Amino acid sequence: MNNVKITGLAKCLVDAQLISKQDIAEHVEKAHLSHMPLISYLIQNNIHLGPNAIRVYGDFFDLPVLNLDAMNLSYIPKHLIPQDVLRENHFIPLYKNGKTLFIGMADPNNQSALELVHFSTNLVVHPILIENHKLKPTIDDLFNDVLDDLQSLEDDGSLDNLEIEIIDDDESDNNENTDDAPVVKFVHKMLLSAIQMGASDLHFEPYEKFYRIRFRIDGILKEIMRPAIVLNRRISSRLKIMANLDISERRNPQDGRIKMKISKNKSIDFRINTLPTLWGEKIVIRILDSSAVKLSIDALGYSPEQHALYKKYLNQSQGMILVTGPTGSGKTISLYTGLHYLNTKTRNILSVEDPVEIYLEGINQVHVNLKQGLDFPKTLRAFLRQDPDVIMIGEIRDLETATIAIKAAQTGHTVLSTVHTNSAAETLTRLISMGVPAFNLATSLNLIIAQRLARKLCEYCKKRQKIPVSELIKQGFTEEQASATLNLFTAHLTGCKQCVNGYKGRLGIFEVIPVIPSIQTLMMSNGNSIELNDLMRKEGYPSLRQSGLKKVLSGITSLEEINRVTTN
């Protein structure tokens, strides 16, 4: 490899500081062995050298460059060439001017594509360079016209035989809107697609000039399609009918639920919320698929030490366990995993939530109903007269709820709950600032778990990453870790068929802190969150950041992802 000459395009890339001589030499050699031009090899292997690479390609091949992000897709003459031809040959038509057609492509050596377009359209063809990783998503967007989709669904009957049933409280509503069968099928298709893709939420969003649907997958919103804006009200009406909401009410938010039976033995619940916005109703649907949740402490992602601490305090006959973190950090799963562990015939377990997200047999679950006056404090006072062994509170939001929870933890009950804070130390100071006496908190609280969810790298396409030792130390690794040979990986920018942008699934990152005597003493002497945090590190309990870096060392996730979900 040392004998490989760095010339031509390879030299231009090195001169532009987009890649090292050693790495480009490796690519040049592999391209030579594959009998391919260097740029063709880089493109076919999805090797993206950053946003400036396209400029180098354009200068080297003397071709114009176009940023697809600035392109209005509605003006693209997509019907000139069949969709399957575009996908197979990796190009898109951009603009037709008389007898000239400009096509966007990533590989300027793809002469067969230019000839194919010329002979099939009888037009003069001019290539324009575009970034390879934007090509497929753009083609997807081009052909995600929901009017075409609705017509094709109507024509081929592909959704006619789905084992799908909408179960409403008022069955008479099921017959409404039956004259809009294509929209009915399309909405069913969206819900099923979200389930298949592992999404947690669906967003239906109207704007002045477009309407889009996004799914939240592994914690990140991903645009799925942009239906024609004229379908905005038809889609929202169908969703509201399914959730037994008032379709004539468009000025106030509404909440509802959908229960969808997708097979004989499987049903999935959806929680739906509508919000009136400037250009129509934004609708968000949360998928509550209890069957997809793995309620095993072993599956949460704790280190062996953290795993042992959680089990130890779950087995205590009284005291409180608090799980903290922002919305979407997996707190509910952690709580229900604990309940699942405690759920035996010898225990009376009660839970109060807003709303109930996971249904567990053997647990008495109460859904808060503020309209009927059933709030957290009122429910908890009733719980204490129900001879409970374990009480789960969806969230401690106020002093009254916190006071009753602490009383329960002090009088022979195991209490599990959540608080919205960023770390274990902040949880203690938040409750004290809420008005909870430090002494009561110190004597009732057993364990605090702060957590985040980070995306896992795709095992099929993740790639090794080299980071200077000085930068690793700056990021929080120890000198010993930074100096050792590390198995650091990063995500493949465009991903593969098995993942989304190089990530697949999520894992938990935890800070698990038992409230030991030294922490109790500092709490009762009015220690602030900085002092508490320093003491926790001194006692040997790793922070969220340190726990995340251990996951990076194991090759499960990337440093970029840990930087996204934790602070250094």
Side-chain angles (χ1 to χ4, degrees):
M1 192 176 297
N2 293 330
N3 297 324
V4 175
K5 291 185 178 180
I6 308 301
T7 60
L9 178 60
K11 185 176 185 303
C12 292
L13 293 170
V14 172
D15 290 344
Q17 298 183 341
L18 298 177
I19 191 171
S20 68
K21 287 185 179 181
Q22 182 180 355
D23 288 341
I24 198 65
E26 182 180 340
H27 294 317
V28 169
E29 185 177 53
K30 288 181 178 179
H32 178 72
L33 293 174
S34 303
H35 305 288
M36 297 169 63
L38 176 60
I39 190 170
S40 301
Y41 173 84
L42 295 174
I43 288 169
Q44 290 191 24
N45 287 277
N46 290 317
I47 298 168
H48 181 58
L49 301 180
N52 294 324
I54 192 72
R55 298 292 176 188
V56 176
Y57 297 152
D59 292 341
F60 184 80
F61 292 98
D62 195 24
L63 288 174
V65 171
L66 175 68
N67 180 6
L68 279 175
D69 294 337
M71 186 80 181
N72 188 335
L73 300 186
S74 63
Y75 294 110
I76 288 181
K78 63 179 183 179
H79 297 299
L80 282 176
I81 304 164
Q83 178 183 169
D84 58 340
V85 175
L86 297 183
R87 293 187 183 279
E88 184 178 347
N89 293 275
H90 308 291
F91 69 89
I92 53 174
L94 295 173
Y95 176 67
K96 181 177 177 291
N97 184 13
K99 289 292 183 179
T100 301
L101 178 65
F102 297 89
I103 70 167
M105 57 199 310
D107 186 357
N109 290 307
N110 191 359
Q111 292 297 319
S112 61
L114 298 174
E115 294 172 3
L116 177 65
V117 176
H118 173 67
F119 286 112
S120 62
T121 63
N122 199 28
L123 297 172
V124 178
V125 182
H126 287 293
I128 294 177
L129 287 186
I130 57 177
E131 292 178 277
N132 183 54
H133 70 277
K134 294 181 180 178
L135 186 55
K136 183 181 180 300
T138 302
I139 294 176
D140 290 341
D141 287 343
L142 278 178
F143 293 95
N144 265 339
D145 189 321
V146 79
L147 287 172
D148 293 342
D149 283 352
L150 293 178
Q151 188 59 51
S152 64
L153 290 172
E154 181 78 354
D155 293 344
D156 65 21
S158 60
L159 294 180
D160 287 343
N161 299 317
L162 279 177
E163 291 187 46
I164 185 168
E165 175 188 355
I166 306 301
I167 305 172
D168 294 325
D169 295 329
D170 183 358
E171 304 233 353
S172 63
D173 283 343
N174 284 341
N175 296 321
E176 293 190 48
N177 216 29
T178 52
D179 60 333
D180 210 358
V183 170
V184 172
K185 291 181 179 182
F186 176 75
V187 169
H188 290 182
K189 178 184 176 185
M190 284 293 98
L191 295 176
L192 289 173
S193 295
I195 295 166
Q196 291 165 354
M197 295 172 70
S200 61
D201 303 84
L202 299 83
H203 292 240
F204 297 80
E205 304 171 313
Y207 297 93
E208 181 182 12
K209 296 182 179 179
F210 66 92
Y211 180 60
R212 72 179 176 186
I213 298 173
R214 294 190 291 174
F215 293 172
R216 188 176 294 279
I217 302 172
D218 293 335
I220 304 295
L221 279 171
K222 177 179 175 61
E223 186 170 315
I224 301 301
M225 64 165 51
R226 293 194 177 191
I229 197 167
V230 296
L231 294 174
N232 172 11
R233 285 200 172 186
R234 290 165 62 187
I235 292 173
S236 63
S237 292
R238 174 57 191 167
L239 289 169
K240 289 163 74 174
I241 286 170
M242 292 168 68
N244 272 329
L245 301 180
D246 184 355
I247 61 173
S248 65
E249 176 58 76
R250 296 190 176 92
R251 293 174 296 178
N252 290 302
Q254 296 187 71
D255 291 291
R257 63 182 278 270
I258 301 168
K259 189 174 183 66
M260 177 179 285
K261 188 173 182 180
I262 59 176
S263 69
K264 185 177 292 186
N265 301 314
K266 184 176 176 65
S267 295
I268 293 178
D269 289 282
F270 301 85
R271 190 175 76 222
I272 181 171
N273 174 265
T274 70
L275 178 70
T277 68
L278 192 60
W279 306 108
E281 286 181 291
K282 172 179 166 61
I283 295 179
V284 174
I285 300 176
R286 167 67 59 89
I287 300 175
L288 307 175
D289 184 5
S290 300
S291 63
V293 178
K294 297 179 180 178
L295 297 177
S296 165
I297 295 178
D298 295 331
L300 288 176
Y302 288 118
S303 70
E305 297 80 10
Q306 293 172 337
H307 182 278
L309 281 171
Y310 193 24
K311 275 194 171 181
K312 173 185 175 180
Y313 287 101
L314 281 172
N315 288 318
Q316 297 287 331
S317 60
Q318 70 177 50
M320 184 185 297
I321 296 174
L322 287 179
V323 181
T324 182
T327 301
S329 60
K331 299 187 298 297
T332 300
I333 299 298
S334 288
L335 286 180
Y336 269 96
T337 299
L339 291 185
H340 180 72
Y341 176 78
L342 294 171
N343 190 12
T344 65
K345 293 181 180 179
T346 62
R347 289 190 178 98
N348 177 24
I349 302 177
L350 300 156
S351 80
V352 55
E353 298 169 77
D354 183 18
V356 174
E357 295 193 16
I358 300 173
Y359 304 109
L360 277 184
E361 289 187 6
I363 293 178
N364 305 282
Q365 297 170 278
V366 176
H367 182 113
V368 167
N369 188 337
L370 297 179
K371 291 181 180 178
Q372 301 298 323
L374 186 64
D375 56 12
F376 279 101
K378 185 175 183 178
T379 305
L380 287 174
R381 282 190 287 269
F383 277 5
L384 295 177
R385 297 188 290 272
Q386 285 282 320
D387 185 31
D389 296 298
V390 179
I391 295 173
M392 196 273 270
I393 307 166
E395 182 185 348
I396 293 177
R397 301 175 179 175
D398 52 57
L399 177 59
E400 188 177 7
T401 302
T403 301
I404 300 172
I406 288 170
K407 179 182 176 182
Q410 290 174 329
T411 55
H413 308 94
T414 300
V415 179
L416 290 78
S417 189
T418 70
V419 180
H420 278 285
T421 56
N422 292 322
S423 68
E426 289 179 36
T427 301
L428 298 173
T429 54
R430 172 71 61 83
L431 289 170
I432 291 171
S433 65
M434 192 184 286
V436 177
F439 176 79
N440 284 345
L441 190 60
T443 56
S444 61
L445 186 57
N446 287 345
L447 188 72
I448 309 171
I449 301 172
Q451 68 179 72
R452 300 289 188 276
L453 287 177
R455 292 176 295 169
K456 293 194 292 186
L457 286 167
C458 174
E459 290 296 326
Y460 294 91
C461 67
K462 68 181 183 180
K463 55 184 182 179
R464 291 190 179 276
Q465 186 179 35
K466 295 179 180 179
I467 302 176
V469 171
S470 59
E471 179 60 25
L472 291 175
I473 294 173
K474 184 179 177 182
Q475 290 290 333
F477 291 98
T478 65
E479 290 190 17
E480 182 181 354
Q481 291 171 333
S483 301
T485 303
L486 301 177
N487 289 321
L488 299 185
F489 291 87
T490 189
H492 198 294
L493 190 64
T494 56
C496 65
K497 293 181 179 179
Q498 305 293 330
C499 67
V500 177
N501 297 331
Y503 294 96
K504 180 68 174 178
R506 289 193 287 178
L507 74 155
I509 299 169
F510 303 94
E511 178 186 21
V512 181
I513 308 294
V515 183
I516 56 178
S518 60
I519 294 176
Q520 291 175 327
T521 301
L522 184 56
M523 288 169 57
M524 289 187 287
S525 62
N526 297 318
N528 59 40
S529 60
I530 296 175
E531 292 170 329
L532 285 163
N533 189 67
D534 290 342
L535 177 59
M536 291 169 184
R537 303 294 85 79
K538 184 179 178 181
E539 293 287 353
Y541 300 109
S543 66
L544 275 167
R545 176 75 180 180
Q546 291 166 339
S547 297
L549 293 178
K550 287 182 180 179
K551 296 291 196 300
V552 174
L553 291 176
S554 65
I556 300 174
T557 189
S558 66
L559 183 57
E560 294 90 345
E561 181 65 4
I562 296 304
N563 285 338
R564 185 180 72 85
V565 299
T566 69
T567 56
N568 191 359

